[in-house]
């Protein structure tokens, strides 16, 4: 279960650059498709690349009231945290790069880091809009973490009951053993409920409409990001793009880890290539339904409405899913 | 929360207790389409106080008007506001016709009514889009503004311009609506009639819109009456107030116009933002019916009683007296006062009161008790127009800020009127 240094370094570079590129490409699709759904033409697909390039060469302004080192540090922390998660996620037919060095619980914690970094950055900016945004992000974080944690742990626990002795909190193991075929009808109902709650958590985790409350352009003028500009903003932008890939890769790893190479009878390099392409399609489908369609179809909610939504119905749904999985085991 | 820290960071000077803090919104902010300064006192996310400071869009249009002849004043009036660009000329022409005793042929009155109601359709659709945007519902914004293009196109086909239609002139109108153009109007109207149910579904039956607008920005019936709210803002609170109903003018006297309240939609009056949406959507339907009536019953005859501009100017120069004109603009009652003196080309006094001026104070009860997240939609709910509103500015050579109370303002206004009228 050890990883060679060279593999780790080269794999890491490929994963980092690949996910950055992919995140920006998918962001381009997101904007183009959302525009078409809204009856607009939309920007060209490469617009996110233009945006990042432009931001990189723009002046990086630090407000007078800001705590400079925190303000400048948080974009780096945010980007580093989301990039690190990628090392623990199975990507396509490939096992996680750091498989064996961390598991689902670590991913859960790392997922909270970008949000925390934005909160700290927001407070450090010393602007009232950023402060309000940071407070809202905190409430959001407290709201969606519980259903998210229930979902991840339930899946791993049910798998542990089926494969005693296996390291079921490792995403590689979860992805290699899709639960759908191993549980009874009650378990399938439970899994569906858990999948739905994870899909609802996804746009909240990504701060997309209807959950873009911490940024809320018309209310608090960009909130957390109000004071960020230039290179710092570019890093948050990239972190956001990569996080989109991370969240959908997590959904794919937990619930739809199937490949098409084996059923098609393909093997070797061609099979791996086909599976990688299929993985990209799966990620796109998840993004399409959890981010693009949702953000086109809803108005922004208020922070208390979001808290109520996640604490009551979504937590209840996740718990119900867990109970169904438990019942499936007992019966 | 850590409000102490926020107080420090804001350099807050107006905080009364340790538990509240101030957040400035404006004069320039994404939630505001025009400059105005709000200072909110907040307790957590809840609004416990608001101070409103207008005056950033004053251009001295009335003063400019008093240096020019009345035809030029008409052009200025058209440019007071880009959205109500027929409402101000309609009120002004009525005021001048009232002062100079000029008759308006019936056909001209019908044409004025048609353009005025077309403006209401485009203004209400524009507002609906802005409201959707303030709610973070950009899809609805883009769809509503897309369908708004139809009425803009129609206005261009009828008048030659998308905004600033240049239709009314003292004594009549400048362009006819011939039969072939009436056909275009019918086509656009049937387009909107088919669309209205979709709009009602998109706004009134959408869960996320209802969640954001129900019981938000409530203006009670009593508050609306006490604060003299006008237009859809008052009607959403159940006040049956509409110039077209109360003092019919132009072609409205021939029709049975009723002020629209949420009760017409079959719901009890709450006076919240949702009711504002209801009233404005139903008014689009009302406007469609008014325009149809006008097109069907359009009388024949002259377009204007004094066709030659030189003759018109001569008549206006001889006129002596004062007049008022009022029109139910999309946002509420717009009121123009004019005073003419024989031998003087320019008006001696010209006073404009736009609907936003009357609705300004209804913001205070609407904001109280709601949250930061509600600020943009409540601010938008009265459909504010700052450049209509800002009709006065206070120049203080000593420096510093001044707050004038009602008694003193009335005294200052009377002094100024005496100065102007000699």
């Amino acid at each position: 279960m050890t990883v060679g240094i060279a593999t780790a370094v080269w794999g890491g570079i490929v994963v980092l650059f690949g996910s950055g590129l992919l995140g920006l490409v998918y962001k381009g699709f997101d904007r183009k498709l959302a525009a078409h759904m809204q009856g607009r033409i939309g920007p060209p697909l490469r617009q996110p690349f233009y945006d990042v390039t432009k931001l990189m060469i723009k002046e990086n302004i630090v407000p007078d009231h800001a705590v400079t080192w925190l303000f400048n540090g948080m974009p780096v922390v945010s980007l580093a945290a989301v990039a690190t998660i990628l090392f623990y996620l199975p990507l396509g037919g490939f096992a996680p790069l750091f498989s064996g060095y961390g598991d689902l619980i670590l991913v859960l914690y790392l997922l909270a880091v970008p949000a925390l970094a934005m909160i700290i950055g927001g407070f450090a900016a010393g602007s009232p809009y950023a402060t309000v945004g940071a407070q809202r992000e905190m409430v959001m974080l407290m709201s969606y973490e519980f259903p998210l944690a229930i979902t991840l742990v339930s899946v791993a626990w049910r798998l542990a009951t089926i494969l005693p002795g296996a390291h079921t909190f490792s995403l590689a193991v979860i992805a290699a053993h899709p639960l759908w075929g191993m549980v009874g009808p009650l378990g399938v109902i439970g899994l569906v409920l858990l999948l739905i709650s994870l899909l609802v958590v996804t746009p909240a985790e990504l701060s997309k409409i209807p959950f873009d409350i911490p940024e809320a352009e018309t209310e608090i003028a960009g909130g957390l990001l109000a004071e960020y500009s230039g290179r710092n903003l570019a890093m948050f932008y990239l972190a956001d793009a990569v996080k989109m890939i991370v969240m959908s890769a997590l959904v794919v790893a937990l619930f739809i880890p199937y490949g098409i190479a084996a059923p098609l009878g393909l093997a070797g390099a061609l099979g791996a290539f086909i599976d990688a392409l299929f993985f990209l399609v799966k990620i796109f489908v998840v993004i399409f339904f959890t981010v693009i369609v949702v953000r086109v179809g809803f108005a922004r909610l208020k922070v208390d409405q979001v808290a109520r939504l996640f604490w009551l119905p979504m937590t209840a749904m996740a718990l119900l899913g867990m109970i169904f999985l438990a019942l499936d085991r007992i019966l | 929360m850590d409000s102490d820290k926020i107080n420090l960071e804001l350099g807050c000077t107006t905080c009364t207790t340790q538990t509240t803090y101030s957040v400035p919104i404006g004069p320039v902010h994404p939630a505001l389409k025009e400059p105005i300064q709000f200072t909110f006192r907040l307790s957590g996310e809840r609004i416990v106080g608001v101070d409103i400071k207008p005056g950033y869009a004053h251009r001295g249009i009335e003063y400019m008007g008093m240096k020019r002849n009345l035809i030029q004043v008409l052009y200025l009036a058209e440019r007071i506001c880009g959205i109500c660009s027929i409402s101000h000329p309609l009120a002004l022409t009525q005021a001048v016709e009232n002062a100079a005793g000029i008759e308006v042929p019936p056909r001209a009155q019908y044409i004025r009514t048609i353009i005025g109601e077309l403006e209401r359709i485009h203004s209400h659709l524009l507002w609906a889009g802005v409201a959707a945007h303030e709610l973070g519902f950009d899809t609805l914004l883009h769809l509503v503004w897309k369908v708004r293009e139809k009425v803009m196109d129609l206005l261009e086909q009828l008048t030659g311009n998308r905004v600033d239609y240049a239709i009314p002139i003292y004594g009549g109108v400048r362009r006819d609506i011939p039969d072939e153009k009436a056909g275009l109007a019918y086509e656009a109207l049937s387009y909107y009639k088919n669309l209205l149910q979709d709009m009602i579904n998109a706004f009134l039956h959408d869960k996320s819109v209802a969640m954001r607008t129900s019981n938000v920005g409530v203006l009670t019936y009593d508050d609306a009456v006490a604060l003299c709210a006008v237009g859809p803002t008052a009607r959403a609170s159940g006040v049956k107030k509409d110039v077209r109903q109360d003092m019919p003018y132009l072609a409205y006297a021939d029709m049975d116009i009723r002020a629209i309240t949420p009760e017409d939609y079959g719901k009890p009056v709450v006076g919240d933002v949702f009711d504002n949406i209801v009233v404005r959507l139903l008014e689009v339907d009302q406007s469609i019916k008014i325009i149809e009536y006008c097109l069907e019953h359009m009388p024949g005859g002259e377009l204007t009683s004094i066709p030659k501009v030189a003759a018109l100017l001569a008549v206006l120069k001889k006129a002596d007296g004062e007049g008022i004109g009022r029109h139910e603009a999309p946002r509420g009652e717009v009121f123009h006062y004019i005073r003419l003196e024989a031998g003087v080309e320019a008006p001696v006094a010209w006073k404009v009161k736009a609907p936003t001026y009357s609705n300004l104070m209804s913001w205070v009860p609407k904001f109280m008790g709601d949250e930061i997240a509600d600020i943009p939609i409540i601010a938008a709910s009265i459909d504010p127009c700052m450049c209509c509103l800002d009709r006065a500015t206070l120049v203080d050579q000593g420096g510093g800020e001044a707050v004038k109370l009602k008694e003193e303002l009335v005294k200052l206004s009377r002094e100024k009127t005496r100065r102007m009228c000699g």
Side-chain angles (χ1 to χ4, degrees):
Chain A
M1 290 281 269
T2 53
V3 186
I5 298 288
T7 322
V9 170
W10 284 112
I13 290 171
V14 169
V15 166
L16 281 184
F17 279 90
S19 64
L21 285 177
L22 196 65
L24 291 181
V25 169
Y26 279 6
K27 231 180 159 68
F29 275 115
D30 167 38
R31 293 177 66 170
K32 193 79 184 170
L33 287 172
H36 276 287
M37 290 181 202
Q38 295 178 332
R40 293 185 289 128
I41 296 167
L45 275 181
R46 70 192 94 150
Q47 186 65 41
F49 290 92
Y50 289 146
D51 288 349
V52 170
T53 322
K54 187 68 182 261
L55 284 172
M56 281 305 204
I57 55 172
K58 294 280 270 188
E59 188 188 0
N60 194 19
I61 297 165
V62 180
D64 286 345
H65 294 295
V67 185
T68 311
W69 64 273
L70 272 178
F71 186 77
N72 284 329
M74 286 309 127
V76 183
V77 172
S78 176
L79 186 54
V82 280
T84 313
I85 306 175
L86 282 170
F87 298 144
Y88 299 100
L89 291 178
L91 302 169
F94 305 100
L97 212 55
F98 285 2
S99 172
Y101 292 94
D103 56 18
L104 207 50
I105 304 297
L106 180 68
V107 169
L108 192 57
Y109 276 106
L110 282 174
L111 269 177
V113 172
L116 284 171
M118 284 182 96
I119 291 170
I120 297 170
F123 276 125
S127 139
Y129 297 135
T131 309
V132 172
Q135 290 167 353
R136 290 175 171 196
E137 178 79 55
M138 276 199 290
V139 175
M140 289 269 294
L141 192 64
M142 287 186 278
S143 314
Y144 63 68
E145 280 298 295
F146 194 38
L148 176 66
I150 295 175
T151 305
L152 301 194
V153 172
S154 307
V155 170
W157 169 80
R158 187 69 187 92
L159 197 60
T161 58
I162 293 171
L163 303 170
H167 184 49
T168 53
F169 271 85
S170 160
L171 273 159
V173 176
I174 294 175
H177 302 89
L179 262 179
W180 298 96
M182 301 187 204
V183 290
L186 279 178
V188 171
I189 296 173
L191 282 176
V192 168
L193 291 175
L194 291 175
L195 175 61
I196 293 172
S197 67
L198 186 59
L199 290 180
V200 176
V201 166
T202 304
E205 181 78 48
L206 298 170
S207 290
K208 300 290 180 206
I209 288 175
F211 307 116
D212 69 329
I213 304 157
E215 284 151 40
E217 180 236 334
T218 47
E219 295 163 19
I220 47 175
L224 293 166
L225 301 174
E227 298 295 335
Y228 276 104
S229 56
R231 201 184 61 240
N232 283 338
L233 186 58
M235 271 191 274
F236 272 134
Y237 191 91
L238 264 175
D240 178 48
V242 177
K243 204 174 175 187
M244 201 157 76
I245 303 291
V246 165
M247 274 310 288
S248 46
L250 185 65
V251 176
V252 167
L254 286 177
F255 290 102
I256 30 177
Y258 303 98
I260 50 165
L264 287 177
L266 299 168
L270 182 65
F273 178 69
I274 294 291
D275 261 353
L277 280 186
F278 185 58
F279 174 72
L280 294 184
V281 172
K282 282 190 289 186
I283 285 193
F284 180 76
V285 169
V286 172
I287 291 176
F288 184 78
F289 286 108
T290 59
V291 174
I292 307 179
V293 171
V294 171
R295 90 182 174 95
V296 167
F298 285 93
R300 183 186 306 117
L301 296 176
K302 290 197 279 190
V303 71
D304 54 330
Q305 291 168 343
V306 171
R308 215 172 299 132
L309 173 72
F310 280 108
W311 279 341
L312 301 173
M314 293 322 296
T315 303
M317 186 188 277
L319 282 174
L320 207 62
M322 190 174 83
I323 291 167
F324 269 110
L325 278 184
L327 285 177
D328 180 59
R329 159 118 205 271
I330 297 163
L331 298 176
Chain B
M1 283 177 218
D2 47 356
S3 51
D4 291 349
K5 182 164 168 263
I6 297 160
N7 286 348
L8 274 176
E9 285 169 357
L10 283 172
C12 171
T13 52
T14 52
C15 303
T16 49
T17 65
Q18 287 292 303
T19 52
T20 64
Y21 60 100
S22 298
V23 168
I25 302 276
V28 177
H29 184 278
L32 305 168
K33 305 302 164 230
E34 285 178 87
I36 188 164
Q37 166 104 54
F38 294 104
T39 309
F40 288 100
R41 215 164 62 244
L42 301 169
S43 169
E45 284 239 352
R46 205 152 286 283
I47 299 164
V48 293
V50 55
D51 189 21
I52 304 164
K53 189 181 165 205
Y56 294 92
H58 180 64
R59 294 162 295 166
I61 284 196
E62 289 154 318
Y63 184 77
M64 284 194 277
M66 286 183 261
K67 305 281 173 216
R68 285 161 170 77
N69 75 41
L70 279 166
I71 301 289
Q72 291 168 316
V73 173
L74 193 55
Y75 283 79
L76 278 175
E78 194 144 50
R79 279 148 187 84
I80 290 175
C81 173
I83 304 299
C84 322
S85 58
I86 189 86
S87 299
H88 285 285
L90 279 186
L92 174 68
T93 47
Q94 287 184 68
V96 171
E97 283 151 7
N98 180 233
I102 301 174
E103 287 293 319
V104 182
R107 187 174 179 87
Q109 300 204 4
Y110 271 69
I111 292 172
R112 284 186 188 182
T113 308
I114 290 170
I115 307 293
E117 292 302 320
L118 284 176
E119 180 180 83
R120 191 182 319 278
I121 294 177
H122 101 65
S123 174
H124 281 351
L125 291 179
L126 181 106
W127 177 84
V130 170
H133 175 64
E134 305 294 11
L135 293 173
F137 204 161
D138 281 0
T139 309
L140 214 43
L141 157 75
H142 294 299
L143 293 179
V144 172
W145 281 23
K146 195 174 167 190
V147 302
R148 175 175 172 263
E149 283 304 300
K150 188 83 179 171
V151 65
M152 301 303 280
D153 287 347
L154 177 63
L155 279 165
E156 188 178 3
Q157 282 158 337
L158 294 181
T159 69
N161 292 322
R162 279 167 61 89
V163 284
D164 292 349
Y165 317 109
I167 282 296
I169 190 160
Y170 312 111
V173 290
R174 294 179 61 227
R175 267 176 198 249
D176 194 12
I177 300 182
D179 286 344
E180 66 268 22
K181 290 207 171 156
L184 294 171
Y186 278 122
E187 188 200 318
L189 291 179
S190 71
Y191 171 76
Y192 282 114
K193 261 195 277 184
N194 296 333
L195 200 83
L196 202 72
Q197 196 52 48
D198 291 344
M199 297 276 293
I200 286 175
N201 284 340
F203 277 97
L204 304 182
H205 298 161
D206 185 285
K207 187 94 196 309
S208 61
V209 171
M211 276 173 88
R212 288 299 309 276
T213 56
S214 291
N215 293 312
V216 166
V218 176
L219 181 69
T220 59
Y221 178 90
D222 293 340
D223 278 344
V225 172
L227 296 169
C228 303
V230 295
T233 309
R235 293 196 282 274
S237 301
V239 185
K240 291 189 187 299
K241 189 176 185 180
D242 190 321
V243 187
R244 297 173 294 173
Q245 164 199 283
D246 304 332
M247 313 195 92
Y249 55 102
L250 299 181
Y252 297 118
D254 299 347
M255 287 167 261
D256 181 28
I257 310 266
R258 270 183 333 99
I260 285 185
T261 60
E263 282 160 350
D264 294 305
Y265 184 60
K267 82 181 275 295
V269 176
V270 184
D272 55 4
V273 176
F274 189 82
D275 282 358
N276 272 276
I277 302 176
V278 170
V279 166
R280 286 190 171 90
L281 285 182
L282 293 188
E283 283 188 15
V284 170
D285 183 43
Q286 189 185 31
S287 291
I288 294 171
K289 290 191 180 121
I290 293 174
I291 299 166
E292 273 182 343
Y293 178 92
C294 289
L295 288 170
E296 278 161 22
H297 297 84
M298 181 103 83
E302 293 299 308
L303 287 183
T304 165
S305 49
I306 313 170
K308 292 270 186 282
V309 174
L312 180 61
L313 270 176
V315 170
L316 291 173
K317 195 172 174 181
K318 270 183 256 156
D320 196 296
E322 57 184 358
I324 59 160
R326 50 210 299 208
H327 169 61
E328 181 71 22
R331 293 161 165 137
E333 180 197 28
V334 53
F335 179 97
H336 280 232
Y337 166 82
I338 200 126
R339 188 182 178 89
L340 307 175
E341 252 173 43
V344 187
E345 274 207 326
V348 180
W350 177 29
K351 185 68 203 155
V352 177
K353 189 207 65 85
T356 307
Y357 185 79
S358 308
N359 286 334
L360 193 63
M361 288 315 289
S362 52
W363 259 333
V364 178
K366 271 171 166 278
F367 277 126
M368 288 302 211
D370 283 309
E371 297 169 31
I372 299 179
D374 301 323
I375 291 173
I377 185 64
I378 297 178
S381 71
I382 71 162
D383 198 3
C385 174
M386 312 316 170
C387 56
C388 289
L389 153 78
D390 281 341
R391 297 268 73 85
T393 191
L394 201 64
V395 183
D396 177 19
Q397 290 167 336
E401 292 212 357
V403 177
K404 300 278 181 213
L405 295 179
K406 187 184 167 192
E407 288 74 25
E408 200 176 355
L409 277 175
V410 170
K411 201 179 104 224
L412 286 171
S413 310
R414 283 181 184 153
E415 277 172 16
K416 190 176 174 196
T417 310
R418 269 188 214 109
R419 252 193 341 265
M420 288 190 308
C421 301

